[in-house]
């Protein structure tokens, strides 16, 4: 397939193959599935942490969930920055500069976790 329309023909064949694969997969699913799927008791009931839902449909969220989520994001970002730092640290000429930069970064994060610990934010009540 060469020439001006060769690229379009390749794209058309790829799209045709993907549509055929999609149709084949869904057809095989319809043919191979059970005629009457099992419908055990409670399958369509609202599921919330394994407990039956009680009360109104609106409830306030505890702020401590957001604190833990924020702390998780904080330390996930720290780990994302530590991996490239470890790669650069191994290169010649970057040794002490990268150590000081990462020490400042980790110190700021450590101050944040120390502040949260001292204010008893991390204590679950």
């Amino acid at each position: 397939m060469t020439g001006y329309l060769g690229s379009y023909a390749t794209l058309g064949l790829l799209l045709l193959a993907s549509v055929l694969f999609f149709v084949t997969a869904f057809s095989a699913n319809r043919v191979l599935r059970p005629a009457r799927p099992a419908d055990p008791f409670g399958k369509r009931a609202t599921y919330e942490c394994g407990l039956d839902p009680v009360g109104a449909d609106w409830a306030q969220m505890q702020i401590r969930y957001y604190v833990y989520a924020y702390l998780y994001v904080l330390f996930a970002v720290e780990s994302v920055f530590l991996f490239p730092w470890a790669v650069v640290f191994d290169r010649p000429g970057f040794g002490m500069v990268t150590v000081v930069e990462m020490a400042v970064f980790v110190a700021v994060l450590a101050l944040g976790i120390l502040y949260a610990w001292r204010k008893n934010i991390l204590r679950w009540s």
Side-chain angles (χ1 to χ4, degrees):
M1 295 190 190
T2 60
Y4 181 71
L5 296 177
S7 299
Y8 292 111
T10 304
L11 178 65
L13 287 175
L14 182 64
L15 288 174
L16 180 67
S18 63
V19 168
L20 285 175
F21 179 76
F22 180 80
V23 169
T24 304
F26 275 87
S27 300
N29 182 27
R30 184 170 290 270
V31 169
L32 296 175
R33 73 175 183 180
R36 287 185 53 91
D39 197 9
F41 175 73
K43 181 169 176 105
R44 300 190 197 284
T46 304
Y47 179 77
E48 186 173 321
C49 302
L51 302 173
D52 292 331
V54 177
D57 59 350
W58 185 85
Q60 288 184 334
M61 186 81 163
Q62 293 287 339
I63 190 67
R64 67 179 78 115
Y65 295 123
Y66 294 110
V67 171
Y68 282 102
Y70 178 71
L71 289 173
Y72 169 75
V73 168
L74 182 75
F75 288 104
V77 167
E78 178 184 9
S79 66
V80 165
F81 282 129
L82 282 175
F83 287 115
W85 172 78
V87 172
V88 171
F89 178 70
D90 192 33
R91 294 185 182 160
F94 287 98
M96 189 51 89
V97 174
T98 55
V99 169
V100 170
E101 287 176 352
M102 192 48 64
V104 169
F105 179 70
V106 171
V108 168
L109 291 177
L111 284 174
I113 194 74
L114 181 65
Y115 175 79
W117 180 59
R118 294 285 304 231
K119 291 289 187 179
N120 288 330
I121 293 174
L122 302 177
R123 188 173 309 238
W124 193 265
S125 57

